[in-house]
Amino acid sequence: MLRKEQNDLLTLTGPGTPGGRLFRSYWMPALLADELPENDCPPVRVKILSERLIAFRDTEGRYGLMDEFCAHRGASLWFGRNEEGGLRCAYHGWKYDVTGQCVEVPSEPENGSFCANVKLRSYPLVKVGDILWTYMGDPAKQPELPEYEFVHVPSEQTYTSKRWQECNWLQALEGGIDSSHVSFLHSGALNNDPLFKGAKGNQYNLGDLKPFFEVADIEGGLLVGARRNAEEGKYYWRITPWVLPNFTMVPPRGDHPVHGHLWVPIDDENCWVYTFDYHPVRPLTGDERQAMKDGFGVHSENIPGTYRPAANKDNDYLMDREAQRRNEHFSGVRGIAMQDASLQESMGPIVDRSKERLVPADSGIIKARQKLRKAAIALRDEGVTPPGVDTAHHRVRSAAVILPMEEGFLDSVRDAVSVKPGVPQASV
Ligand code: FES
Ligand SMILES: [Fe+2]
């Protein structure tokens, strides 16, 4: 349960808010690299942390991310001409380079000093893996680039997609931390989905609907352990890491690729869900990659040319009551991503957490909120660098393991949750 002011602290991420300052301490995904596929390609509108920006790739291949609106009289630079090393406003021809610096004011007589004094707010935009990342905080505190494993394995081993989710980032993140819903909401998918089915672990998931949760602190965030009964004398543990502020990984199943998410605020009532799948030691197969593109696993099928899922709140997520009755899909909605999104969006744009009734299975969520709150306040009041900025905190993996009943999970999984290049994921 959170009072309104506590909820606001965690959910609001616009400029000047404590939550916004927290997010501006990190590199955040701004676009998929595919969205700017070549030099001088069309610019792309980007809204992130409630700021409206324009991204472009200039003639030399440099990436820029800056204020969407022209410094002259505020026209959107989305209409602009991306040419000869800069983006030219379509209204009166003012031109900007990738740093937001105005480089030409052709509508006026030559006046060098005027142009030099016009600069749009801009942020760095850097390609790491399949993502273009930006850092929107104090330039003096710009951290090292992200080191999550999925952006550092060879490109044939990794795949990233993106979808728009119509609710606040925190309720989406909380779905990534809460693994007790898997045995219910996603029960159909464990048997049917090409990127899930066949793993031994699925039987434990479906055979024990009341997991016991143990949550352990790590430097960058939390390890959320969900324990289910396995064979005599043994437990099946699924370990979900969360790294501040918005990185989560789903525990693996068999030799299927491992997946996870980054939940990025667009504004206070919408977020981007960047969804990745990778295998630490082998290329993704053609079938796996195709299944991801088709919206299986934790990916979504989007309306072509957009990042809005084809099943969305305007069509009731293509709810199929017959499939619900047949138990093919527990909720009647197809696909794990949309099963999650439909319920999270159903809570409203920003869920009122003063009315919730949390239970022990929500302990991961409770601890994550505490950590976020503490980090936002320490940053606001004392300028303390939050957890997850240090790139060493990124080198973590999810894991699924069988342990003897007497073993505590934290000590036994330290190795399994550490990134080791060339070593496969610990999975059942
Ligand atoms: S509004 Fe952009 S040049 Fe005039
Ligand atoms: Fe889910």
Side-chain angles (χ1 to χ4, degrees), residues 35-182:
E35 294 182 70
L36 294 175
E38 56 192 23
N39 298 353
D40 286 338
C41 61
V44 177
R45 296 183 190 99
V46 173
K47 192 173 184 194
I48 175 171
L49 306 181
S50 300
E51 294 187 37
R52 289 184 61 176
L53 306 169
I54 193 90
F56 72 109
R57 176 166 163 180
D58 77 2
T59 314
E60 320 273 273
R62 290 174 298 201
Y63 293 108
L65 183 65
M66 61 196 189
D67 200 340
E68 180 186 337
F69 304 101
C70 182
H72 177 213
R73 278 170 45 215
S76 170
L77 292 167
W78 181 77
F79 294 92
R81 302 167 61 95
N82 187 7
E83 58 190 17
E84 292 162 0
L87 189 59
R88 187 184 295 284
C89 180
Y91 211 175
H92 313 90
W94 292 24
K95 184 174 176 184
Y96 304 89
D97 71 12
V98 287
T99 68
Q101 178 62 50
C102 184
V103 290
E104 271 180 47
V105 180
S107 57
E108 295 299 306
E110 199 67 30
N111 179 346
S113 65
F114 176 76
C115 180
N117 287 325
V118 177
K119 188 171 189 301
L120 294 172
R121 187 168 33 108
S122 76
Y123 302 114
L125 188 65
V126 179
K127 182 176 181 300
V128 183
D130 295 333
I131 292 179
L132 299 176
W133 303 77
T134 189
Y135 170 75
M136 295 163 68
D138 176 357
K141 294 195 171 157
Q142 182 174 314
E144 299 292 308
L145 288 166
E147 291 209 8
Y148 300 108
E149 190 177 24
F150 82 98
V151 288
H152 284 290
V153 294
S155 61
E156 61 273 18
Q157 292 172 218
T158 186
Y159 175 79
T160 305
S161 70
K162 153 178 168 179
R163 67 177 165 83
W164 169 28
Q165 183 159 328
E166 298 175 62
C167 70
N168 181 261
W169 80 278
L170 185 63
Q171 68 211 54
L173 167 87
E174 289 179 348
I177 293 176
D178 148 33
S179 91
S180 76
H181 73 277
V182 176

Side-chain angles (χ1 to χ4, degrees), residues 175-176 178-179 181-182 185-186 250 261 263 298 336-337 339-341 344:
D178 148 33
S179 91
H181 73 277
V182 176
L185 180 61
H186 305 315
V250 183
H261 304 91
W263 318 86
V298 286
I336 288 173
Q339 288 161 3
D340 286 324
Q344 292 156 9

